[in-house]
Amino acid sequence: MTAPILGTSYDRPASLDAPRAPRRSSGNNFEKYAWLFMRFSGILLVFLVIGHMFIMLMIDGGVQRLNFAFVAGRWASPFWQIWDLSMLWLAQLHGGNGLRTVIDDYARKDSTRFWLKTLLVISMILVCVTGTYVIFTFDPNIS
């Protein structure tokens, strides 16, 4: 006598029936690339931020030196413009990608997820565009 079968074949995902069988590729690797971006941008951000803090606090005389003239002199150099711009963009994209995964994990309704992600993208674009504009159009000769 055989035991009755409680489920049918379509109740179980194919991966459970043949766990070592190669899965079909859906063609969308966005999550894989987002995951890789988080790792590489995090490593790069660690070096950029620690370098920034070391230079600002140890070499340049600390926070008491920060004023308008200091920023004007610093942003007169393309090296520091690129350094600060890369910190801005990497931090914004890294944080936005992390918040996107939090929204995906915790937003229950599709409409809520859509509007939260829309607000996230709008805020990310606004911060990146405004920061880039300020870095490249900073005028030290304000009268």
Side-chain angles (χ1 to χ4, degrees):
M1 180 166 158
T2 61
I5 298 174
L6 297 176
T8 57
S9 63
Y10 59 81
D11 285 339
R12 293 174 50 98
S15 61
L16 292 179
D17 290 333
R20 302 220 186 269
R23 292 184 180 164
R24 265 190 240 164
S25 175
S26 64
N28 186 1
N29 289 328
F30 176 75
E31 289 298 329
K32 178 179 87 170
Y33 294 128
W35 185 86
L36 287 171
F37 172 76
M38 289 297 277
R39 274 50 187 179
F40 291 126
S41 67
I43 291 169
L44 191 55
L45 273 169
V46 165
F47 288 113
L48 285 171
V49 171
I50 289 177
H52 173 80
M53 291 180 67
F54 178 76
I55 291 167
M56 296 299 287
L57 298 176
M58 302 295 194
I59 295 175
D60 279 342
V63 293
Q64 65 272 10
R65 187 167 180 218
L66 290 178
N67 57 20
F68 185 85
F70 178 79
V71 174
R74 185 176 163 105
W75 279 351
S77 166
F79 174 78
W80 291 117
Q81 285 180 330
I82 298 298
W83 184 293
D84 290 345
L85 186 72
S86 59
M87 272 198 310
L88 169 72
W89 277 75
L90 277 175
Q92 191 66 30
L93 293 172
H94 183 90
N97 191 26
L99 191 53
R100 179 192 61 83
T101 59
V102 170
I103 290 169
D104 281 341
D105 288 344
Y106 291 105
R108 294 179 185 262
K109 291 172 32 179
D110 288 337
S111 61
T112 305
R113 189 175 301 117
F114 170 78
W115 287 112
L116 286 173
K117 285 184 181 180
T118 301
L119 288 173
L120 174 65
V121 168
I122 289 170
S123 67
M124 287 173 60
I125 291 171
L126 185 66
V127 168
C128 283
V129 168
T130 305
T132 303
Y133 177 75
V134 167
I135 288 173
F136 285 124
T137 62
F138 184 75
D139 184 15
N141 301 320
I142 294 178
S143 49

